[in-house]
Amino acid sequence: LLGRGRHCEVYEVLPAGPAGRRTAVKLLRPELAERPGGLRHFLEKAEIAASFHHPNLPEVLRIERDLDPPRVVLQPVDGTPLDRLAAPGRGLEPERATAILRQAAAALDYLHARGAAHGGLSPASILVAADGRVTLVGLRLPAGAGRERVPGGGGGGIAAGIGDEPG
């Protein structure tokens, strides 16, 4: 188990053979899958998430609707949450903090340009890999999110989101 949130659980899947690759699998929690519309909502958010293509957001590899239970297969995200990076009372070096915040801001800008927002940004949802790459996890789409903004006009097609949980 990589993570558990209000709606989903995310598991690491190790490759079966030398040609396989490590993935992460996001599953809707069983009690929510049984609610009316719960599974449909999960799959709709997965479709929206699959439209994202940004280096600082998780990558959806595929959506497996025909399995029981349905699942979202993601590129695994390695990193340490920002809230665990700094020693208590010391913070981060200014250069490192600036590099982290620039990448987080780039991902937020990408989301906002598509009419979406993170919906739960906190230091725990900013993962920093050993090489310094930042990934925002735990996106929560508010109602109406996912409409691409068109300069000078209203919303366009769906172009946003990822479930409600880290991973």
Side-chain angles (χ1 to χ4, degrees):
L1 181 67
L2 293 175
R4 175 178 291 137
R6 294 180 311 164
H7 300 104
C8 299
E9 294 176 340
V10 180
Y11 296 89
E12 180 177 27
V13 178
L14 300 174
R21 74 182 201 183
R22 190 175 134 249
T23 58
V25 173
K26 180 180 275 195
L27 301 171
L28 183 63
R29 293 177 66 171
E31 65 274 16
L32 296 173
E34 294 172 7
R35 287 186 186 171
L39 185 57
R40 179 187 49 78
H41 182 71
F42 171 73
L43 292 172
E44 284 175 0
K45 284 198 173 192
E47 284 291 334
I48 294 168
S51 73
F52 280 149
H53 302 287
H54 189 276
N56 302 111
L57 295 172
E59 178 186 356
V60 174
L61 300 174
R62 64 186 174 277
I63 301 167
E64 297 178 339
R65 289 178 168 43
D66 299 331
L67 296 178
D68 186 22
R71 61 205 66 192
V72 179
V73 181
L74 303 157
Q75 179 67 35
V77 177
D78 294 315
T80 302
L82 183 57
D83 63 345
R84 291 194 216 149
L85 270 184
R90 284 196 353 197
L92 293 172
E93 306 80 35
E95 298 80 19
R96 187 171 188 203
T98 300
I100 291 168
L101 293 176
R102 278 194 178 128
Q103 291 178 70
L108 292 171
D109 185 56
Y110 179 89
L111 291 171
H112 295 171
R114 283 149 185 81
H118 185 282
L121 188 64
S122 71
S125 62
I126 301 172
L127 299 184
V128 182
D131 66 1
R133 180 174 170 195
V134 169
T135 305
L136 298 188
V137 297
L139 281 76
R140 297 183 204 136
L141 293 177
R147 302 279 180 213
E148 187 169 351
R149 290 188 184 168
V150 178
I158 296 221
I162 198 161
D164 292 296
E165 308 306 323

